[in-house]
Structures are given as C-alpha cells and as structure tokens.
Amino acid sequence: MPSKVETEKWKRQLVENAEKEILKLTDSEKFKSYLDTVAKFHRYSQRNIDLIYSQNPSASQVAGFKKWQNDFKRSVNKGEKGIRIAAPIIKKLTPEDQKRLDTTEEKAIVGYRYIPVFDVSQTSGEPVLSAEDFVKENLADHQNVTSLYNAFKDYLNQQTDLKVSEVPLETLNGAKGYFQPNTNEIVIGGDEPDNALKLKTLYHEYAHSQLHGLKSAFKDRPRAYQETQAEAVAYVAMQNIGVDTDNYSLGYVATWAKDKAVIHSALSEIQQVSNKVIELSDGLTKQLGLQKEPEHDLKKLSAQEINKSYQGLQQQIQQARNPQQKSELKNKLNDIHHEISNRTQKQLQAFAEQNPSIKQPKSELDQSLKR
C-alpha cells in the first residue's frame, strides 16, 4: 500500500502535471493565434452582455458589420437581423461643462445610442478561431463513471449542505451545469449522453462550491481564476480515477486563463480542494467495489485473484495516457510480479525438500566453473 508520503506526492504531481500540460497548450502557435483573435473582439459591459444574451442566447462572438469585413474578412449574411447593444455618445467638454460636472476630463459620456452587432453564426467568410477549437467533447467513456457519478451526487445531497439536482440540457443555454452560491445548489444537465463528461461537470461545479461559495476564501477571484480552478480540479479528479479528459479540460482551462501568471496563481490555490475531491472519490470507489484492495493484502489473495489482478494491471497500463499514472500502475504490477515470483520460489523449494531424490539443476555459476 502506498505510504502517506507517496499518496501526497501523487496528488501534488497530478496538479503539477495539469499546470505543465496547460502551459504546453498555451505555448502553441494555434493558441497564440486564438488570443490574437480574441483581442480583436470588443470587450462588452455586463449591460451589453445581458442585452446580447436576451436577443440571441447562443451568440458566442459578436462584432459590427464593418469590423467583420475589415478584421476578419467575413461578411454578414443577407437578411440577418442585428443584435442591438448600447454604444456611448461621447462629447468633448467645454470649460463650462468641466466646471459644471466638476471634472478635468476633456471628454465625457453624455448618453447612449443603440447600434447593431452580429454573431459569427450570422456571417460567412474566412474561418475564425474560437474556444471550440480547443474544447473537444470526445471524452473516453469509462464503465464505472455512472456508478461513481450517482454515488458522488448522493453523497453531496445526503452528507453535505449542498443540493444537487438535474435538469434537461436544453434549459442550460449551452452549459453542462452550474453552481448557484445563493442557494448552495449544483445543477447538472441530466440528459448529457457522455457519462464521463457528466461526472467531470459534477466535479467542476463541486469545486466551484468549495472554492467560490459565499463563505469561501477565493469567492472574489476574477472569473478567469474561478473557471481555471474549477476545471483544473475536475481534470485532476478525472485523472485520478483513470479517465482521460485532456481534450476537454486543458482547452477549457487555457481559453479562460490565457495568461501564464493566471494559470500558475490559480492552480497554486487548488491543491486543498483537489486533495479533498480525490479522497472523496477514492472512498466512494471503494464502497462501490470499483477499487481493488491495496497491495499490502497481496499475500492474502488466492493464485486466481493475484493472476487476475496482474492481467488487469497490464490492460490498464496499455490504456493509460498519463505518464505519472502509468508509472504508478507499473510499480503496482512490479509488486504483484515479485509476489508471484516469491510464491513460485517457495513452491519449488517445498517440492525439492519433499523429493530429495530428484537431482536439481546446477546453477549457472557452478556450470561456468567446470568449463
């Protein structure tokens, strides 16, 4: 059985590996091009974000008619209806205006007018990089994730002050789930067909509840920090149970964090929550019978059980993609190999003692001395 020190080292390495892989992605030329693209889009106020959403809930990237043409080499499709947003009317201030408004600023907003913008889905032309290019939802399914999801959901509902419920995905406006701090409630898209993605979403929203709830230490972190932290916890938790979420999680984190300093600072704060999630998952998988007894019990296993464990580990090593996980599995396989070897040696020794008349083969050393 791994010692407490080895277990803590494994948890730390999971988080360190997450940071390394995310940074590797942010160093890619494609991702740098994505950041350049994002920089061209105007940053809208919360008021305008609400206006955009109320008119087109599925809008992802919006810009004005000429901006689409000049910056992105795209044209607004004929007949498309614009999304109206508020644009400030700025006036140059006279000395009298400055005195009246008690300001030294040369210009000020004196009102707003509504102008049209268009979502990328309303345009045609050259491709535009988006977050979807880095967030691929093709997670490898795992035969036990449904059981673990249900057990984790039940645990949170029964053993904590959180309430976890499910709603149809179509009511979530493109999201997979969310955490509501005011009610301490986690809502998950119950009809998500990918079981691995469903479990990962629950880990993500649970991380939000622990890191960004009303009483949490990091509740006031910027949105980029919060999403980076929650998804990194989910990534680490899924890695711990052997389900690969690289294609989804790493891209998700990178498109939120964007900056290496944000990634490093955000991940430095998730260690405690990551450890808590790992311990919860390990406890639940043991209760569900999804986890083998630790290797300190090898001597108690029958020959059939130990051979089955050996074959199972060989298969897991072939499927493992995470280097650290593969190394841990190889160490376990090596322990079982030694146990099988020791049992074989004892059986041979016992056989020799019971049959002294049978001539034993000489060792290679004895044979070499006679040459």
Side-chain angles (χ1 to χ4, degrees), residues 139 194 234 306:
L139 307 186
D194 190 325
I306 203 165

Side-chain angles (χ1 to χ4, degrees), residues 5-22:
V5 173
E6 289 171 331
T7 301
E8 291 303 315
K9 182 181 177 183
W10 164 245
K11 293 175 183 176
R12 285 197 306 273
Q13 286 178 330
L14 281 172
V15 178
E16 289 168 4
N17 179 67
E19 181 171 4
K20 183 177 70 175
E21 293 300 317
I22 295 162

Side-chain angles (χ1 to χ4, degrees), residues 33-63:
S33 296
Y34 164 73
L35 295 185
D36 290 340
T37 301
V38 170
K40 292 179 182 178
F41 286 100
H42 182 75
R43 293 186 178 181
Y44 293 105
S45 66
Q46 187 59 51
R47 178 186 180 186
N48 275 332
I49 290 172
D50 292 341
L51 278 171
I52 292 168
Y53 177 75
S54 67
Q55 296 169 75
N56 185 350
S58 62
S60 60
Q61 295 173 307
V62 298

